[in-house]
Amino acid sequence: MARRVSLREFQESLARRLAESREGEHRTLLGLQTPTENWVVDLADTGEVLPVPPVAPVPLTQPWYRGLVNVRGNLCGVVDFSLFHSGEAIATGGSARILLVGARHGSGMALLFSRATGLRSPEEFTREDVTDDRPWVESILCDVQGHRWLKLDVAALTRNPAFLEAGILAT
């Protein structure tokens, strides 16, 4: 059961967090994981991060296109981000999360990740001088623990023909 917090404790905690946010680092990146890769995405490119609701499969689509979800009356297509990169499928239970792509991209898409790791500050990373052949990888970063992170360019992803072609073409 959740611990009850008095109104005074809540107000003090909120005031402390607001003060820290004004003077501290700005956490503008969201960390996400697939089974084999760490990703960060700018908060400006995101909508929400949610536990995976029931997914309705759509026939005649690529295996990475998991189907449709209803999020408060809006249908969103769900892409298994790991399968899209030829990785292993992500189970939709447990710590799995969907990232709703920000409305400014107008895509109605949700990306399925193994888990969300929380907000990160750009100052936590150093940029590596290597590239990735996937056009939606904006940069490759390294955190202070030496873990490799890929920065997702959501606009490049949502414009990419491979991403847009979720249907299976009849032969």
Side-chain angles (χ1 to χ4, degrees):
M1 181 148 75
R3 181 175 91 85
R4 294 183 61 102
V5 178
S6 73
L7 180 58
R8 181 183 176 136
E9 288 174 332
F10 175 74
Q11 289 173 329
E12 289 171 352
S13 170
L14 184 59
R16 185 174 50 255
R17 289 178 21 216
L18 284 172
E20 289 171 356
S21 72
R22 283 189 207 112
E23 61 195 37
E25 57 188 317
H26 296 282
R27 296 181 178 268
T28 60
L29 300 173
L30 175 64
L32 300 151
Q33 291 179 324
T34 65
T36 58
E37 295 178 312
N38 298 316
W39 291 84
V40 290
V41 61
D42 280 317
L43 284 178
D45 290 327
T46 67
E48 294 180 65
V49 176
L50 304 168
V52 184
V55 179
V58 176
L60 301 175
T61 57
Q62 299 289 344
W64 48 262
Y65 189 83
R66 299 292 287 270
L68 297 169
V69 294
N70 180 344
V71 179
R72 289 180 293 291
N74 296 309
L75 290 179
C76 296
V78 177
V79 171
D80 184 320
F81 204 58
S82 178
L83 269 179
F84 181 68
H85 295 115
S86 302
E88 61 185 81
I90 297 173
T92 57
S95 61
R97 297 291 182 261
I98 58 169
L99 168 69
L100 300 180
V101 173
R104 74 181 188 158
H105 297 289
S107 67
M109 292 301 301
L111 302 174
L112 176 63
F113 286 91
S114 300
R115 68 187 212 109
T117 61
L119 296 177
R120 309 290 298 259
S121 171
E123 291 79 28
E124 295 177 42
F125 299 99
T126 56
R127 188 177 179 137
E128 293 186 355
D129 290 332
V130 293
T131 59
D132 191 290
D133 61 348
R134 296 171 284 189
W136 49 87
V137 176
E138 183 178 317
S139 58
I140 299 175
L141 309 170
C142 186
D143 65 15
V144 293
Q145 290 87 19
H147 298 120
R148 182 177 175 178
W149 294 79
L150 303 170
K151 187 170 184 197
L152 177 61
D153 182 342
V154 174
L157 177 68
T158 58
R159 287 190 312 261
N160 188 278
F163 183 79
L164 295 173
E165 191 55 56
I168 295 177
L169 300 174
T171 56

